């Protein structure tokens, strides 16, 4: 389904394809028509897409799934999750109802279909990834199912041919009392709605919660519980498909176009990747940053950068990887090259000018793209590191302080570091400890952010000046800074600005 400038089949060989293979190839490139907004993803995609579409659609879906996962980590109720996810879905995977008659319907549904299958490939490799993917996809399906137009939803359910037996009128009358008893007294008459008979194993949750009547191995499910039935079926089919995909995966390793993209996507389950957006350097209301302002601004830095800043202040020195991480971050918040050189020169106060110029100045200029590098990077230098990069690089050695402290510090050391920067609420620290124990490092960081800015977040939510995507999960240290600064300076001439979510315009 991938189209690219180069093909793995040489033109000469292609001409000799057998009759059967040609037939198969023709069938492979059919455009599909998407009749429904909801999809059980039974048929794999067959049309061509470019490698860029392949990657971008998958990244957008991943963003949606990871925001859903973040909702469960933060124990949001189903209503809060639906509310929060609305604008995330509108931004990354809009899916209009058929009644909207939008000209984008087919395109939106196609992206949904393809991105599901791409992530299926990326997350089929291990049991753990499969389980997570299945759980999040089920949540997404359920969210859309609830939100779907009633008539379209019914038409979709009918199209599934799920082999449910409709309970006939005579049987309904015969079992009336038992059906109503199982329905919990909320229904006056069993004629009020349709009932279905299914094998009880297909609705274990309803049986466990005694919300259905069971007779001779069949559960009698009222139509209002239809969602449980459909969702259980969705999960069952997806789990089976993931098993099959995992067995087919070794063959994909041979594809040198897809393997690196899929590897990158599955890594993004640690923390979704976000490339640096230059909008993070344009902060309305923040006057030009210079070498002297960094101490004050460090109050708004994420822990990874605060640790580097504090180490630099304590030792008047920082090791190579820490310097690089911090330089790129400072560049990303808008510090000019000249001011950055001045900042490091002043910070390395125990060092002679000569030594600084010989050993350190060049590396700073290099990071900014002022010298060295290939012609592509010249003038731009390197991009500030994302959380994903910091969370997946090799652990720092003795004396090094780069990386993400939520991952690199021991839990006790992390908690005392957080206390030193003012995070002193016992419950928050306890949950952070649990988060890092489960390797949910960026979730812990977001939890600390939310706690440290809770008053301000409440304000922008209450007055509606920021949307849910403006407050989505932070996955880039530069987004952390920008959002923190804006929130802490509300009402100082920066209200009404769009703060720029972590998934904004991507730039390498
Ligand atoms: Fe920095 Fe990201 Fe770690 Fe937070 S999660 S401390 S922003 S690397």
């Amino acid at each position: 389904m991938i189209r690219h400038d180069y093909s793995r089949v040489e033109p000469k060989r292609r001409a000799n394809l057998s009759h059967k293979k040609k037939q198969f190839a023709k069938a492979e490139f059919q455009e599909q028509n998407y009749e429904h907004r909801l999809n059980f993803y039974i048929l794999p995609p067959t049309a061509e897409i470019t490698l860029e579409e392949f990657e971008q659609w998958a990244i957008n879906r991943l963003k949606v799934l990871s925001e859903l996962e973040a909702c469960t980590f933060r124990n949001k109720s189903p209503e809060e999750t639906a509310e929060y996810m609305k604008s995330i879905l509108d931004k990354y995977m809009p899916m209009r109802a058929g009644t909207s008659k939008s000209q984008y319907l087919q395109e939106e549904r196609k992206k949904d279909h393809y991105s599901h299958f791409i992530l299926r490939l990326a997350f089929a490799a291990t049991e753990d990834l499969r389980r997570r993917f299945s759980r999040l996809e089920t949540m997404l399906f359920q969210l859309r199912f609830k939100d779907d137009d009633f008539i379209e939803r019914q038409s979709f359910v009918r199209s599934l041919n799920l082999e449910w037996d409709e309970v006939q009128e005579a049987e309904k009358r015969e079992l009336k009392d038992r059906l109503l008893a199982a329905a919990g007294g909320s229904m006056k008459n069993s004629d009020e709605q349709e009932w279905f008979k299914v094998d009880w194993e297909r609705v274990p949750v309803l049986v466990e919660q005694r919300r259905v009547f069971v007779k001779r191995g069949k559960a009698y499910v009222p139509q209002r519980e239809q969602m449980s039935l459909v969702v259980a079926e969705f999960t069952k089919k997806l789990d089976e498909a993931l098993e099959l995909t995992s067995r087919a995966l070794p063959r994909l390793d041979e594809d040198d176009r897809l393997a690196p993209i899929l590897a990158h996507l599955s890594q993004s389950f640690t923390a979704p990747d976000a490339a640096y957006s230059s909008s993070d350097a344009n902060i309305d209301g923040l006057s030009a940053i210079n070498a002297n302002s960094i101490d004050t601004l460090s109050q708004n830095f994420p822990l990874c950068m605060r640790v580097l800043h504090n180490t630099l202040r304590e030792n008047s020195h920082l090791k190579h990887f820490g310097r690089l991480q911090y330089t790129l971050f400072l560049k990303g918040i808008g510090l000019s090259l000249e001011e950055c050189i001045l900042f490091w020169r002043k910070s390395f106060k125990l060092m002679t000018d000569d030594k600084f110029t010989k050993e350190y100045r060049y590396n700073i200029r290099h990071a900014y793209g002022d010298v060295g590098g290939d012609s592509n990077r010249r003038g731009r230098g390197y991009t500030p590191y994302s959380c994903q990069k910091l969370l997946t690089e090799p652990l720092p050695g003795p004396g090094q302080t780069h990386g993400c402290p939520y991952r690199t510090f021991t839990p006790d050391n992390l908690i005392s570091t957080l206390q030193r920067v003012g995070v002193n609420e016992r419950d928050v620290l306890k949950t952070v400890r649990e988060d890092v124990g489960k390797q949910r490092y960026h979730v812990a960081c977001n939890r600390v952010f939310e706690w440290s800015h809770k008053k301000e977040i409440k304000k922008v939510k209450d007055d509606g000046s920021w949307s849910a995507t403006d407050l989505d999960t932070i996955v880039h240290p530069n987004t952390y800074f920008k959002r923190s600064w804006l929130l802490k300076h509300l009402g100082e001439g920066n209200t009404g600005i769009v703060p720029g979510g972590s998934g904004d315009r991507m730039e390498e």
Side-chain angles (χ1 to χ4, degrees):
M1 71 189 196
I2 298 296
R3 180 174 72 234
H4 202 266
D5 294 341
Y6 52 89
S7 161
R8 292 169 64 81
V9 184
E10 288 165 26
K12 263 191 222 156
R13 279 183 53 206
R14 206 184 293 146
N16 296 331
L17 283 178
S18 74
H19 172 65
K20 268 189 187 164
K21 279 185 184 159
K22 272 187 197 160
Q23 262 190 339
F24 181 61
K26 189 164 177 238
E28 261 200 327
F29 297 106
Q30 273 175 8
E31 276 290 347
Q32 272 161 304
N33 183 44
Y34 300 97
E35 219 180 298
H36 301 105
R37 179 172 173 263
L38 295 165
N39 196 334
F40 253 36
Y41 310 108
I42 304 293
L43 291 176
T46 49
E48 293 182 11
I49 58 169
T50 65
L51 268 184
E52 289 70 30
E53 287 170 331
F54 183 91
E55 188 163 23
Q56 193 54 51
W57 295 356
I59 287 172
N60 286 356
R61 190 179 198 91
L62 197 55
K63 171 75 182 166
V64 167
L65 295 187
S66 55
E67 287 292 348
L68 265 176
E69 189 167 55
C71 287
T72 59
F73 289 163
R74 291 182 214 163
N75 300 325
K76 283 191 195 276
S77 67
E79 293 73 28
E80 287 167 337
T81 302
E83 172 70 25
Y84 177 73
M85 289 304 295
K86 197 176 171 326
S87 55
I88 303 277
L89 282 164
D90 284 347
K91 181 169 177 180
Y92 295 98
M93 284 179 62
M95 293 265 277
R96 274 164 273 231
T99 45
S100 74
K101 303 267 182 284
S102 161
Q103 55 173 322
Y104 303 112
L105 281 190
Q106 288 299 315
E107 189 57 23
E108 288 171 358
R109 291 170 187 189
K110 180 177 172 184
K111 281 184 194 167
D112 173 60
H113 183 210
Y114 280 61
S115 60
H116 169 90
F117 272 91
I118 298 165
L119 292 194
R120 213 187 249 195
L121 289 178
F123 300 128
T126 69
E127 170 76 34
D128 179 48
L129 285 175
R130 286 197 292 275
R131 218 175 316 120
R132 272 173 84 186
F133 180 66
S134 166
R135 191 168 52 81
L136 296 172
E137 280 288 331
T138 303
M139 278 180 75
L140 177 61
F141 179 83
Q142 192 164 350
L143 207 62
R144 285 175 171 165
F145 191 90
K146 277 190 196 161
D147 177 47
D148 208 16
D149 174 278
F150 178 75
I151 297 185
E152 284 185 43
R153 186 168 62 199
Q154 289 312 95
S155 148
F156 169 73
V157 173
R158 269 197 299 276
S159 76
L160 295 173
N161 297 321
L162 289 176
E163 296 167 6
W164 303 339
D165 291 336
E166 218 171 284
V167 181
Q168 300 304 315
E169 290 306 316
E171 194 176 7
K172 244 198 266 180
R173 273 196 299 280
E174 184 197 328
L175 298 173
K176 183 177 171 189
D177 291 345
R178 296 192 206 178
L179 292 177
L180 291 180
S186 57
M187 218 181 292
K188 298 267 177 296
N189 198 328
S190 60
D191 296 339
E192 270 178 18
Q193 58 177 312
E194 300 299 318
W195 296 74
F196 303 98
K197 265 191 289 192
V198 294
D199 290 338
W200 73 268
E201 293 102 326
R202 287 175 62 182
V203 283
V205 177
L206 294 180
V207 174
E208 190 188 309
Q209 295 175 357
R210 296 176 188 275
R211 278 156 55 198
V212 284
F213 168 61
V214 181
K215 184 182 160 193
R216 292 198 199 113
K218 296 280 183 197
Y220 287 66
V221 185
Q223 191 178 25
R224 62 163 193 208
E225 300 285 5
Q226 192 184 53
M227 188 174 82
S228 302
L229 268 176
V230 179
V231 171
E233 199 65 27
F234 175 87
T235 314
K236 181 171 152 255
K237 289 210 162 23
L238 178 57
D239 288 345
E240 288 165 3
L242 280 167
E243 274 298 323
L244 287 176
T245 311
S246 73
R247 277 182 241 151
L249 270 185
R251 270 180 278 151
L252 253 184
D253 283 349
E254 293 164 20
D255 193 320
D256 49 13
R257 299 164 306 163
L258 302 192
I261 300 180
L262 294 174
H264 179 245
L265 288 170
S266 65
Q267 223 180 30
S268 295
F269 237 10
T270 312
D273 202 6
Y276 169 71
S277 159
S278 61
S279 70
D280 280 342
N282 299 323
I283 305 181
D284 209 0
L286 175 58
S287 47
I289 299 174
N290 58 41
N292 293 330
S293 44
I294 303 301
D295 278 326
T296 312
L297 293 178
S298 69
Q299 305 297 316
N300 300 102
F301 288 179
L303 198 61
C304 48
M305 303 303 164
R306 276 188 99 160
V307 164
L308 292 175
H309 187 79
N310 294 345
T311 312
L312 177 63
R313 287 289 171 257
E314 276 160 28
N315 302 346
S316 301
H317 192 264
L318 211 52
K319 294 203 170 195
H320 174 75
F321 289 113
R323 269 196 328 268
L324 183 59
Q325 176 179 324
Y326 199 29
T327 300
L328 293 175
F329 171 78
L330 294 175
K331 174 184 157 193
I333 68 172
L335 189 67
S336 69
L337 171 61
E338 294 68 34
E339 288 296 323
C340 192
I341 293 175
L342 193 62
F343 168 77
W344 285 109
R345 177 65 206 103
K346 283 183 168 175
S347 303
F348 284 7
K349 57 187 180 210
L350 308 176
M351 189 180 290
T352 63
D353 272 344
D354 191 38
K355 186 173 165 68
F356 179 80
T357 305
K358 273 197 196 129
E359 294 178 27
Y360 298 93
R361 202 184 154 92
Y362 184 88
N363 282 349
I364 304 166
R365 291 180 60 204
H366 190 262
Y368 271 73
D370 194 42
V371 288
D374 56 35
S375 54
N376 279 337
R377 291 211 184 272
R378 186 81 39 81
R380 293 188 299 130
Y382 291 90
T383 320
Y385 294 157
S386 66
C387 297
Q388 191 205 69
K389 167 139 178 68
L390 296 174
L391 284 167
T392 49
E393 65 186 7
L395 288 167
Q400 294 179 320
T401 38
H402 62 275
C404 171
Y406 289 96
R407 169 178 175 244
T408 58
F409 283 20
T410 62
D412 286 346
N413 196 2
L414 174 66
I415 298 301
S416 57
T417 307
L418 282 170
Q419 284 170 326
R420 273 202 298 280
V421 297
V423 185
N424 47 27
E425 195 170 308
R426 204 190 280 184
D427 282 352
V428 176
L429 294 171
K430 184 170 160 269
T431 335
V432 163
R433 199 185 271 275
E434 287 165 11
D435 287 334
V436 296
K438 291 174 185 156
Q439 302 185 342
R440 296 171 186 169
Y441 308 117
H442 77 294
V443 174
C445 177
N446 275 272
R447 201 181 292 287
V448 167
F449 182 91
E450 280 171 17
W451 179 81
S452 338
H453 300 81
K454 60 175 178 296
K455 253 197 345 238
E456 295 81 7
I457 290 175
K458 182 173 179 327
K459 187 169 184 306
V460 293
K461 270 188 181 169
D462 288 351
D463 66 20
S465 54
W466 289 29
S467 71
T469 43
D470 297 330
L471 290 163
D472 61 359
T473 307
I474 295 171
V475 287
H476 201 295
N478 287 82
T479 311
Y480 188 111
F481 168 72
K482 179 175 183 178
R483 203 176 288 178
S484 170
W485 196 90
L486 288 172
L487 285 171
K488 291 293 178 188
H489 293 81
L490 284 174
E492 294 176 19
N494 67 3
T495 42
I497 31 160
V498 179
S502 49
D504 274 3
R505 188 162 49 97
M506 303 295 183
E507 288 173 15
E508 245 316 309

